[in-house]
Amino acid sequence: MKEYLYTKMLGIFVGALTILAAVGFGILFLIGTGLSNALNSGYDNSSSSSSAAIIIIILLLFALITGITPFKLKNKIWRIIYIGFCFILGIGFVIAFIISIGALGLINELFILCLGIIYLGLSYLAYRRK
């Protein structure tokens, strides 16, 4: 069996899920902005829209790194970087789930938790060279 076969397949899958998370975050941001404007709650969108755009760009960058890097795991340095990258993102998504309990809705929160667990599994697969 080829080395890193499961890591490559799961990396592409998690990259696609991260793109889906970025799009979902963008949709939630647009809904929140639209509701605050409709209810005239005095929402200032000048600083928040730029921070939301930065978060979406960072999530898309994470998705790109997650999807492309498994094909470079033969190199020891890339393997170490990728294992650390996936582990840190997995822990980060699990912590984001814990912080956002009750704020984003059950489906979105469970999606963040599942994304974190899959990132942790991806780091384990890369570590075990599967």
Side-chain angles (χ1 to χ4, degrees):
M1 198 174 220
K2 291 177 70 176
E3 195 174 33
Y4 299 114
L5 178 67
Y6 296 128
T7 305
K8 290 176 185 176
M9 290 189 313
L10 190 62
I12 293 170
F13 178 69
V14 174
L17 285 179
T18 308
I19 290 173
L20 187 64
V23 169
F25 177 76
I27 290 172
L28 285 175
F29 173 75
L30 290 175
I31 290 172
T33 304
L35 285 175
S36 69
N37 288 338
L39 298 174
N40 198 14
S41 62
Y43 178 75
D44 182 25
N45 60 4
S46 62
S47 64
S48 298
S49 64
S50 64
S51 63
I54 290 171
I55 292 173
I56 292 171
I57 290 171
I58 289 173
L59 280 174
L60 291 174
L61 182 66
F62 286 164
L64 186 68
I65 292 171
T66 303
I68 292 174
T69 310
F71 296 100
K72 300 183 182 292
L73 289 178
K74 301 277 186 198
N75 190 344
K76 183 179 180 180
I77 295 173
W78 278 111
R79 186 173 67 243
I80 292 170
I81 291 171
Y82 191 69
I83 291 169
F85 173 76
C86 290
F87 185 74
I88 289 171
L89 275 181
I91 295 295
F93 277 122
V94 170
I95 290 172
F97 162 75
I98 292 170
I99 290 172
S100 70
I101 290 177
L104 300 176
L106 183 65
I107 294 173
N108 294 323
E109 292 167 358
L110 289 179
F111 181 72
I112 291 172
L113 177 66
C114 291
L115 202 58
I117 291 171
I118 293 172
Y119 264 111
L120 290 173
L122 183 61
S123 68
Y124 178 75
L125 280 178
Y127 176 73
R128 298 295 295 176
R129 297 181 185 193
K130 298 281 183 183

